[in-house]
Amino acid sequence: MSRLFSDAGVRLPVLAAPMAGGASTTALVAAAAGVGSLGFLAGGYKTADALAGQMDVLRTRKVPFGVNLFAGDPMPISDADHRRYARTLQPEADRYGLRLNHGTPVADDDGWADKIDLVMGGDVAWVSFTFGIPDQAVVRALQRSGTTVLQNVTSPTEARQAAEVGVDGLVVQASAAGGHSATLSPDRPPAPVPLADLVARVRRTTALPLVAAGGIATSADAAAALRAGADATMIGTLLLRTEESGASPAHQRALADPAFATTVLTRAFTGRPARALRNHFTDRYDLLAPAGYPAVHHLTAPLRKAAAEAGDTRLIHLWAGTGYREAKQESAARTLERIAARL
């Protein structure tokens, strides 16, 4: 494993991915650290204050951790497209007595400036970015503060772009990954390249340390990624049913429910490509959803929240990578060690 991690005491070449929306808890990150792995807090969709609170919990427990942040400009969406999709979804919202936003699209940068200030002054050992590549000035400032900077990429071209701003390593994400794709071109879905092949292609473009992510279901999958040139691997979906997971009960049940037979890459929930279990929402609305993030995310969020609280898996964003059937009810430590067993 690269000295990028081993010099900091990380010995397990299977890391715990950041999963925004509540799945990545401080307990999960602590469990990863307890077996010599490394877990990342998901900075997306929470305020800087909420993220600071999680960081404080881990510091108090002397747990090493990383932080993942959303970067990049919002994808624009026209008022007309926003209103059309709101009208399309309103009958689903009526079931829960909700009135969706039929007015101006909501666009924000996920509290970028506040979160950058937080990690720069927070003695964070690792920070990773997704959705966009930060300015070189941000990368260098973080490095001067002692932070190792990682960038999520989905292609050799993106890897070269990240290398040009001076990041320390890359998280190479295949299209089989659950949740949002890290693609820098969200107007089109990422190419369906197997993880080991994608790692090999990126390895030919850069000598930077690589962390392979996306669709890892077994120890053999992780081993293949390492043989292809990765220095470590990262799992997310496999941790969703663990004891420390913050995923909703409905989400956790769906991962083991035979009724959910496959995953699809969809923009129906947020306006940005994301892999989820196929359900009524993906079937009905994927082709109707406009590209536009985070406006579509904000539009559908109240409906998804109500559905989750009601256990209505027809309408929930059931994020899942292609290896979701291997997600087990066990401790996060057991899952990480199970995948690392033959590496």
Side-chain angles (χ1 to χ4, degrees), residues 254 257-263 277-278 324-325:
D257 187 342
F260 296 96
T262 190
T263 65
L277 297 178
R278 179 182 175 185
Y324 70 99
R325 285 297 189 216

Side-chain angles (χ1 to χ4, degrees), residues 167-195:
V167 301
D168 299 296
L170 304 173
V171 179
V172 181
Q173 185 202 58
S175 66
H180 283 106
S181 169
T183 178
L184 302 182
S185 304
D187 55 325
R188 55 184 184 273
V193 180
L195 178 59

Side-chain angles (χ1 to χ4, degrees), residues 256-334:
D257 187 342
F260 296 96
T262 190
T263 65
V264 293
L265 198 61
T266 180
R267 68 184 185 197
F269 296 107
T270 68
R272 183 181 179 92
R275 187 170 294 279
L277 297 178
R278 179 182 175 185
N279 65 0
H280 165 76
F281 201 96
T282 64
D283 283 351
R284 177 70 178 84
Y285 300 111
D286 182 58
L287 295 179
L288 302 176
Y293 180 89
V296 175
H297 158 74
H298 289 300
L299 172 64
T300 67
L303 173 58
R304 291 181 284 134
K305 180 181 179 181
E309 291 173 350
D312 183 357
T313 52
R314 297 169 62 257
L315 303 177
I316 303 174
H317 55 287
L318 300 168
W319 301 143
T322 56
Y324 70 99
R325 285 297 189 216
E326 295 301 319
K328 303 184 185 304
Q329 287 186 313
E330 60 187 5
S331 69
R334 172 60 185 146

Side-chain angles (χ1 to χ4, degrees), residues 21-46:
S24 290
T25 63
T26 55
L28 197 157
V29 173
V35 291
S37 177
L38 174 68
F40 282 74
L41 292 174
Y45 301 139
K46 59 171 64 86

